[in-house]
């Protein structure tokens, strides 16, 4: 059976998906191990000390996943909330813009009237702002 895995994560989970996509040391012997990836309101650049990436500024660039995501060759989807904290909104917009700059514009959804958490609470409700486009993305990238 062919690979049908789409990685998806929100907030810190999106950061974990980004780490996998953006850092080849996490890939298996046959490559990334996924057919596509979805990031929801994540962070992709290490800009300061954190529990995940440490506090050594000399390692921040190396630990950032954005360059590897941009260099990846799988389809990508990004969504973010209109009312995400500015740092998160900026990182998602930057990732989208950087991908477009190299001819790899991702599927992108702005969750209007949502904050960082409310977009998750909309799953399995009449609000299909995220789930509709995500389902289309999944269908388009799996057989």
């Amino acid at each position: 059976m062919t690979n049908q895995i789409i990685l998806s994560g929100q907030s810190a989970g999106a950061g974990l998906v980004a780490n996998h996509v953006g850092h080849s040391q996490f890939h298996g012997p046959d490559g990334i191990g996924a057919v596509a990836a979805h990031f929801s309101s994540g962070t992709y650049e290490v800009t300061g000390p954190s529990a995940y990436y440490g506090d050594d500024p000399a390692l921040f660039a190396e630990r950032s996943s954005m360059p590897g995501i941009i260099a990846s060759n799988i389809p990508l989807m990004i969504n973010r909330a209109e009312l995400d904290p500015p740092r998160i909104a900026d990182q998602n917009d930057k990732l989208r813009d950087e991908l477009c700059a190299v001819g790899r514009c991702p599927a992108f959804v702005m969750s209007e009237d949502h904050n960082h958490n409310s977009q998750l609470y909309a799953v399995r409700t009449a609000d299909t702002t995220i789930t509709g486009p995500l389902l289309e993305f999944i269908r388009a990238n799996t057989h």
Side-chain angles (χ1 to χ4, degrees):
M1 174 179 234
T2 61
N3 181 352
Q4 298 290 303
I5 296 171
I6 293 181
L7 301 174
S8 180
Q10 198 272 342
S11 191
L16 295 173
V17 170
N19 283 337
H20 182 79
V21 173
H23 294 281
S24 61
Q25 69 264 34
F26 299 126
H27 301 176
D30 296 325
I32 197 167
V35 296
H38 165 243
F39 309 109
S40 178
S41 295
T43 56
Y44 317 102
E45 287 187 305
V46 180
T47 58
S50 76
Y52 294 117
Y53 304 108
D55 58 4
D56 184 350
L59 298 175
F60 291 168
E62 173 185 328
R63 292 180 177 168
S64 292
S65 54
M66 192 173 298
I69 294 169
I70 294 165
S72 72
N73 63 358
I74 62 171
L76 302 171
M77 177 179 178
I78 301 169
N79 78 270
R80 76 164 182 89
E82 176 184 16
L83 305 173
D84 263 335
R87 179 176 153 270
I88 291 172
D90 291 347
Q91 287 213 13
N92 284 270
D93 292 345
K94 182 176 181 180
L95 178 58
R96 177 202 58 214
D97 294 347
E98 294 284 332
L99 284 161
C100 288
V102 297
R104 295 197 60 233
C105 287
F108 184 83
V109 175
M110 171 69 72
S111 301
E112 292 184 16
D113 300 322
H114 279 283
N115 66 39
H116 191 68
N117 295 317
S118 68
Q119 57 185 345
L120 282 178
Y121 302 138
V123 174
R124 296 189 63 145
T125 71
D127 181 349
T128 59
T129 303
I130 297 169
T131 56
L134 181 57
L135 184 56
E136 288 177 26
F137 179 76
I138 291 168
R139 288 180 174 149
N141 291 289
T142 56
H143 314 333

